Amino acid sequence: MFEKLEKRLILKGTIETVTPLHIGSGKSELDIEEADMPVIKDDQDKPYIPGSSLKGKARFEAERILRKEGYSVCNPPDVKSMCGSLVSDPSKFCLACRIFGTAGRVSVASKVKFRDAYPVGKVEQLIQRSGIAIDRQTGAVSSRALYSVEAVPAGVAFSFEVVAENLTDDELRILCAALRSVEHSAIGGASSRGFGKVKINIDTAVERSAKYYLGKENEKVYSGEDLKKWFAEKGCV
Ligand SMILES: [Zn+2]
């Protein structure tokens, strides 16, 4: 499928930990089999938030909002139950697939890309929280009872950047709502213990068209009051 670059929107800001944040290497919930749970780190040993974690969570929240609003939404992550497998006409894909992409017989790339989020400053120290593992089946304290969870403390800011291409206003509105909902939910593991609450601050929006890349048009940059007004016009809260 050929695709035109109509417009590219870049939302930039920070994502700040309000409570400790634990993003492990792939597991989203506490796994009682694992005694020690480090946070994911880059090759310089700095903790970061993978873009894929942010995107996955944003998609999950978008799907919940869409369902509540009466839209029909397919059921990822099983490819067989996604629009790419179930719907032959891409124009009839559910809004979640149109924004975040789909897989199956037809695979369509996501219109939104979440960059990996790196700490803005220095992270002084990671924290360790210990807990007692309970066997979910029996409710008994497991034999490997004590475990420790590593986490980024509250108050750490990470860079935040989402790049969205050719979003309709409707799709942008859902993306904004999903980001708000991520804030009021949680990211990463141990959320039942209060981990993973974040604040997403978007301070700049940049709009670029194909003409911009040909040097024929300026980019549009919104920040401060302009950004608030622009968001309001788009139906973003
Ligand atoms: Zn779908």
Side-chain angles (χ1 to χ4, degrees):
M1 204 189 328
F2 293 102
E3 208 212 317
K4 288 183 202 160
L5 176 64
E6 308 284 351
K7 59 185 170 189
R8 179 171 282 145
L9 171 69
I10 304 161
L11 301 176
K12 288 193 251 192
T14 56
I15 178 166
E16 202 180 322
T17 55
V18 177
T19 60
L21 172 68
H22 171 83
I23 296 187
S25 38
K27 296 194 178 82
S28 61
E29 282 302 319
L30 286 183
D31 183 343
I32 58 167
E33 297 300 318
E34 217 178 321
D36 243 348
M37 287 168 285
V39 298
I40 189 163
K41 300 181 188 83
D42 66 9
D43 49 15
Q44 282 161 34
D45 218 30
K46 275 193 294 192
Y48 73 102
I49 308 173
S52 56
S53 297
L54 293 171
K55 185 188 162 199
K57 186 65 186 172
R59 178 177 190 137
F60 182 70
E61 293 300 315
E63 287 165 0
R64 293 171 71 198
I65 291 167
L66 287 168
R67 286 193 192 100
K68 177 68 188 157
E69 285 289 284
Y71 289 89
S72 78
V73 177
C74 65
N75 290 301
D78 184 359
V79 169
K80 287 199 266 334
S81 53
M82 291 182 76
C83 292
S85 298
L86 303 172
V87 183
S88 48
D89 179 358
S91 70
K92 301 213 161 60
F93 285 173
C94 74
L95 257 174
C97 284
R98 274 188 259 161
I99 301 170
F100 296 98
T102 194
R105 274 182 297 117
V106 183
S107 108
V108 175
S110 176
K111 286 184 172 183
V112 293
K113 292 179 180 68
F114 285 75
R115 305 282 186 215
D116 291 340
Y118 292 94
V120 174
K122 209 164 162 257
V123 181
E124 288 306 329
Q125 204 169 11
L126 296 174
I127 56 175
Q128 303 285 337
R129 287 281 169 84
S130 56
I132 293 171
I134 307 289
D135 187 310
R136 283 178 194 152
Q137 244 86 66
T138 64
V141 173
S142 99
S143 52
R144 293 162 64 191
L146 262 183
Y147 63 82
S148 76
V149 187
E150 189 178 49
V152 175
V156 173
F158 292 81
S159 61
F160 179 78
E161 186 173 318
V162 184
V163 181
E165 290 179 359
N166 304 341
L167 282 192
T168 64
D169 281 357
D170 258 359
E171 291 164 357
L172 176 60
R173 202 168 45 85
I174 296 300
L175 175 65
C176 289
L179 293 178
R180 281 291 158 258
S181 191
V182 166
E183 285 188 324
H184 297 167
S185 170
I187 60 172
S191 56
S192 59
R193 296 175 63 189
F195 278 30
K197 185 169 166 54
V198 291
K199 176 94 184 80
I200 299 172
N201 309 297
I202 294 172
D203 47 45
T204 316
V206 182
E207 263 187 325
R208 292 171 183 162
S209 65
K211 283 201 175 98
Y212 162 83
Y213 292 100
L214 292 165
K216 293 180 183 168
E217 195 177 88
N218 287 330
E219 61 183 9
K220 290 184 192 134
V221 182
Y222 304 93
S223 61
E225 285 305 310
D226 286 348
L227 180 63
K228 270 192 205 156
K229 226 160 75 187
W230 185 80
F231 271 142
E233 278 165 19
K234 297 288 179 187
C236 289
V237 284

